Amino acid sequence: MLKTIEIKNYLLIESIKVDFDNNFNIITGETGSGKSILIGALNLLAGSRVDHKVVGTSNKKCIIEAIFLIDENLKDKFLGLDIDFDKESFFRREILSNGKSRAFINDTPVKLETLKHVTHDLINIQSQNQDLVLNEKSFYYKLIDSDLEINLLREKFLIKYNQYLSKQKIYENLNNQFINIKSNLDYNKFLYNEIDELNLQNNEEESLEQEFLNLKNYDKLKNELNNYHHIVSSEHDSLISLMNNLSSILNKTSSISNDFKTLKNRYDQLKIEFDDIINSINRKSENLVYDPRRFEYVQNRIFKIKDLFLKHNAKTANDLIQVKQNLSKQFSSSNDLQSEVESLKNEIRELENECQIQANTIFLKRKQRINDLRKDIESIFNKLSMKESRIKFDLDKSDKLNKYGIDNLNVLYSSDKGNNFNKLIKIASGGEKSRILLAINVLFSEKMSLPTLIFDEIDSGTSGKVANVIADLLKRIGNKSQVIAISHLPQVAAKASNHYKVSKILDQNKPKTLMKKLNHGERIKEIAAMISADNITNPALNQALELLK
């Protein structure tokens, strides 16, 4: 419910603050007094686009601020948008003279789309939105499903349907992953086998490279080793015999003089290392054999390993072993993913079946409901002197599940006695659309809570009996929800619970718009003025009193 609106520096409005009550509120005033200015301000508060010309003559920023009483069921929406929730919430729109604007909800800066999203549940300006509203299937589904039984069935269906959609999304993502893995599976197996066939050992490339160099340079090595053997172990003056002789000399000198003992010990250590080196060289020399087949094998193996280094951006055999392990994990993951995809497919199939069953039940209930709705709406049409107008809810089964169930709805309209039904949005006139929306809102108000409804001269072009019917219908909606209507008709104004007057005055030769809530005496005069075209007469006053009874 709109509790308070305050407007500063907006067109002809310098500053007004109005407190609204629940039920049916009426706004009256002379043509050109600025009643529609108020509607424009409310539109800006609801998130409509800004024209910099709305900023008043003071060239200060324009401020439109409102206080709404918020139902608890909107708390999750506020918190979901990271906005503080309060049952008495403040909304503000500021517009600068250059056309830039800012929006706030409970002093939290918000984007315009957020403001529009939140106020959608709080205020509905019928004259601005009637084409948009009447073209939305959700609007009619909401009306049909306002029946308590259908509404409960729909809520249960939506829980199951959202689970179905969620599982489908997960399935699509996983299945795409599986398809990608599967499409590369043969190639990955080839890569795996290519590495596996080499039976690589840790750091193997180092020993292979050395063996390759040995075999490649076999002749050179053999020649040098022959020289080595000649030096080390020749019959005359071999290095080994010389070393042994030197050892014998040091043993004798150290036994004669202690000065040589340390040197003798050092030499003994050197001799041990020397003997070990000689033995190692001898072993390697004995093992050095040139095998052409081995040379070819080592060379080919090195080529294969280096080729895989390039292919996998690897530097060592250990890197390739890791690549092989990763590919193995992928194969295992592919099998697990396939099982998960199959399991999800079965879950989705079960959820779809459950949704189908629930949707079929809802479809049948809606079929029963739409006939009663048609009669109720056409009954209001008759009261509004639209006796030949008919509405038709064309409900057919759809091939696929959707957020409404398993049906597809078209709302058709005919304004004559024939069967010339067509889509309502295409053939109904502006006046007819206003009356149709009024009729539907009457039925809505009896079943569920509505946002604040703003009607801008919905009674335009009517009089007498039809005007009285419109007044009664607005009052009927107002008994359940807040209604704010602009009217020129006294019989409509008289049915309101609260009456506000908009007037325009000259202040220092500048026009200014004012607005005030009328007391009972002021209402009598205002309605009398509406009856007698501002020339208030006693008969007009008496008629006003009669209307207000």
Side-chain angles (χ1 to χ4, degrees), residues 370-393 412-414 421 439 443:
I370 56 177
N371 192 47
D372 292 336
L373 274 178
R374 179 189 59 78
K375 290 177 182 177
D376 290 342
I377 292 171
E378 289 180 359
S379 172
I380 296 174
F381 285 171
N382 286 336
K383 293 175 183 177
L384 290 167
S385 294
M386 297 167 64
K387 294 182 179 180
E388 295 183 357
S389 295
R390 288 177 296 156
I391 195 166
K392 182 179 180 182
F393 296 96
L412 308 177
Y413 178 74
S414 174
F421 279 98
L443 300 180

Side-chain angles (χ1 to χ4, degrees), residues 275-494:
D275 291 341
D276 185 61
I277 291 170
I278 295 300
N279 289 331
S280 296
I281 293 173
N282 289 339
R283 282 195 301 274
K284 287 188 177 292
S285 179
E286 289 170 4
N287 293 329
L288 185 63
V289 177
Y290 182 74
D291 182 347
R293 287 181 297 178
R294 177 67 183 173
F295 178 71
E296 185 179 0
Y297 167 78
V298 171
Q299 189 176 41
N300 288 338
R301 188 169 177 81
I302 290 172
F303 287 159
K304 286 181 180 178
I305 291 173
K306 287 188 174 181
D307 183 53
L308 291 178
F309 281 176
L310 289 171
K311 186 177 286 186
H312 296 284
N313 195 25
K315 293 180 179 179
T316 67
N318 290 351
D319 293 341
L320 289 177
I321 291 169
Q322 186 62 52
V323 170
K324 175 186 165 185
Q325 290 172 352
N326 291 340
L327 287 169
S328 179
K329 286 178 183 177
Q330 280 190 32
F331 301 148
S332 176
S333 172
S334 172
N335 293 332
D336 293 343
L337 199 58
Q338 185 175 14
S339 299
E340 195 173 350
V341 166
E342 288 300 322
S343 176
L344 266 173
K345 192 187 289 186
N346 292 331
E347 283 186 57
I348 289 168
R349 195 177 294 117
E350 288 177 12
L351 283 169
E352 186 176 16
N353 289 337
E354 291 177 32
C355 286
Q356 290 274 5
I357 293 168
Q358 292 181 356
N360 274 316
T361 303
I362 294 170
F363 175 77
L364 294 174
K365 294 290 182 183
R366 283 174 176 157
K367 276 285 196 184
Q368 297 170 5
R369 166 92 168 130
I370 56 177
N371 192 47
D372 292 336
L373 274 178
R374 179 189 59 78
K375 290 177 182 177
D376 290 342
I377 292 171
E378 289 180 359
S379 172
I380 296 174
F381 285 171
N382 286 336
K383 293 175 183 177
L384 290 167
S385 294
M386 297 167 64
K387 294 182 179 180
E388 295 183 357
S389 295
R390 288 177 296 156
I391 195 166
K392 182 179 180 182
F393 296 96
D394 196 2
L395 197 66
D396 295 316
K397 274 197 176 181
S398 175
D399 294 334
K400 294 181 180 179
L401 286 168
N402 56 63
K403 63 182 178 180
Y404 303 113
I406 198 168
D407 48 60
N408 185 43
L409 175 67
N410 282 304
V411 180
L412 308 177
Y413 178 74
S414 174
S415 58
D416 55 46
K417 290 182 178 179
N419 290 314
N420 300 319
F421 279 98
N422 206 330
K423 286 190 176 182
L424 184 152
I425 196 65
K426 290 184 177 180
I427 64 168
S429 67
E432 286 172 324
K433 288 174 185 174
S434 297
R435 312 290 190 271
I436 291 166
L437 204 51
L438 176 61
I440 291 173
N441 277 318
V442 168
L443 300 180
F444 256 137
S445 67
E446 294 173 353
K447 291 288 186 178
M448 62 200 302
S449 176
L450 292 175
T452 296
L453 297 178
I454 311 291
F455 293 93
D456 186 7
E457 299 188 1
I458 191 173
D459 51 13
S460 178
T462 66
S463 60
K465 184 180 177 182
V466 173
N468 284 325
V469 171
I470 290 174
D472 287 336
L473 293 175
L474 290 173
K475 188 174 181 64
R476 187 170 157 186
I477 297 172
N479 290 334
K480 301 284 185 178
S481 304
Q482 186 184 45
V483 172
I484 300 173
I486 292 174
S487 177
H488 285 289
L489 298 180
Q491 54 266 58
V492 175

Side-chain angles (χ1 to χ4, degrees), residues 227-243:
N227 293 334
Y228 154 80
H229 284 298
H230 178 72
I231 294 169
V232 171
S233 54
S234 62
E235 293 182 3
H236 304 289
D237 297 328
S238 68
L239 184 58
I240 292 174
S241 62
L242 291 172
M243 291 290 286

Side-chain angles (χ1 to χ4, degrees), residues 7 53 352 453 478 506 526:
I7 305 169
K53 294 177 183 177
E352 186 176 16
L453 297 178
L506 283 176
E526 173 66 9

